[in-house]
Amino acid sequence: MTIGSMSAGMSLLVIWLLAVIAQSLGWLWQKRHRNAGIVDVVWAAGVGGAAVVAAVLGDGALTPRVLLALLGGIWGLRLAGHLLHRVLGEPEDGRYAHLRKTFGQDQRKWFAFFQFQALLVLLFALPFVAVARNPVAGVTPWIVAGVSFWLLSVVGEAIADRQLARFRSNPANKGQTCRDGLWRYSRHPNYFFEWLHWFAYVCLAVGSPLWWMAWAGPLVMFVFLRWISGIPYTEAQALRTRGDDYREYQQTTPMLFPWFPKPSLKTPAQTPAKTPGRNAP
């Protein structure tokens, strides 16, 4: 076993242990406050923290490691802060409220659920370990591409989050679907930009002996968003709470990749009047 592989293994072990501790604390908070949404906050902070840990423990060149710590850390901090604001200011997310009907008060199931998120932190740390072992020094075209991907994705996700938060803050929009701004062109623009963000580390890892591990980010994130824990749960909850309005949104608006929407299937008589001040189509 080479020194580099030992360094990568040690980084992953440290990241996993820290994630286990963090998710255990999140589980205790959930147990007290009956709000499992904190799991997303801890996950985002854990992934951002994993980037910093990998950068510190890595043995690659200074430039990719510094960028890894900055870009990954800032991404995780922004997302965790946004999610924490929602957790503290709103009732438990409908997805977890629905899951609570299944788990009930069996805290063993909740603990296992939180620890599964710790394993996901470990999985998403693979691209960070690849970047942290990159020996290529200096600013290269791949470095520029990685930073560009990061800027586009983080700014795009922040805009989508702000647009949705503004829509939800208006009581007149209760029970309706957000079609403002980026949400006119994708049912999940926040998820799209979160997925796009992982290509930043693919670029930063070019030249690393572990470059192939960087592809775990976009590939695994797409699988989880598209088929496992992202879009399926979010849309099932939307259909439970918004019914026909969301079904019409599904039929006219692309699921993930932004594109122009199809014409509305509603007749003029069925289309609700626009709320003054809203940017609805």
Side-chain angles (χ1 to χ4, degrees):
M1 181 178 292
T2 65
I3 294 177
S5 61
M6 290 176 62
S7 173
M10 181 59 68
S11 297
L12 290 172
L13 177 60
V14 171
I15 288 168
W16 176 67
L17 290 175
L18 291 175
V20 166
I21 295 171
Q23 290 291 358
S24 296
L25 294 175
W27 168 73
L28 289 173
W29 190 94
Q30 172 276 145
K31 184 178 179 181
R32 179 177 180 181
H33 297 275
R34 290 181 57 81
N35 190 334
I38 195 68
V39 72
D40 294 330
V41 179
V42 179
W43 180 86
V47 174
V52 177
V53 171
V56 171
L57 298 181
D59 58 0
L62 184 62
T63 299
R65 288 167 56 203
V66 169
L67 284 174
L68 171 63
L70 287 175
L71 302 186
I74 292 173
W75 171 84
L77 185 64
R78 188 212 72 83
L79 182 57
H82 168 73
L83 295 171
L84 181 62
H85 179 75
R86 288 181 56 176
V87 169
L88 297 180
E90 301 178 7
E92 184 176 48
D93 186 288
R95 294 171 299 161
Y96 298 124
H98 185 72
L99 187 61
R100 193 171 293 280
K101 296 178 181 178
T102 302
F103 286 178
Q105 295 306 308
D106 190 342
Q107 289 300 322
R108 294 172 299 178
K109 292 181 179 179
W110 282 112
F111 184 79
F113 175 74
F114 273 71
Q115 291 309 317
F116 176 68
Q117 305 302 314
L119 288 176
L120 292 183
V121 170
L122 180 65
L123 183 60
F124 284 106
L126 294 177
F128 303 151
V129 172
V131 174
R133 286 212 60 205
N134 191 348
V136 180
V139 178
T140 67
W142 285 109
I143 291 289
V144 175
V147 173
S148 299
F149 265 115
W150 187 89
L151 286 172
L152 174 63
S153 60
V154 170
V155 171
E157 188 172 1
I159 291 173
D161 287 340
R162 184 178 295 272
Q163 289 171 342
L164 181 61
R166 184 175 62 237
F167 179 87
R168 291 166 60 129
S169 67
N170 185 349
N173 295 328
K174 185 176 178 60
Q176 298 182 35
T177 302
C178 178
R179 295 173 173 84
D180 293 351
L182 294 171
W183 299 85
R184 175 179 172 84
Y185 304 99
S186 169
R187 303 203 298 269
H188 305 279
N190 53 341
Y191 286 167
F192 169 76
F193 286 111
E194 185 173 327
W195 169 75
L196 191 68
H197 153 260
W198 290 95
F199 284 95
Y201 309 108
V202 173
C203 294
L204 295 180
V206 173
S208 170
L210 299 176
W211 65 270
W212 52 272
M213 287 172 50
W215 283 98
L219 292 176
V220 174
M221 179 58 73
F222 183 81
V223 170
F224 270 84
L225 289 178
R226 176 62 182 84
W227 289 295
I228 301 178
S229 61
I231 292 173
Y233 277 89
T234 301
E235 298 216 334
Q237 175 62 19
L239 288 170
R240 283 192 292 267
T241 57
R242 280 169 265 162
D244 290 340
D245 183 57
Y246 197 80
R247 289 187 184 90
E248 195 267 346
Y249 185 56
Q250 287 179 314
Q251 294 170 353
T252 59
T253 309
M255 177 185 292
L256 184 63
F257 298 99
W259 193 246
F260 296 99
K262 299 177 183 178
S264 175
L265 302 180
K266 294 180 179 179
T267 64
Q270 293 175 307
T271 304
K274 296 181 181 179
T275 303
R278 276 188 56 199
N279 190 30

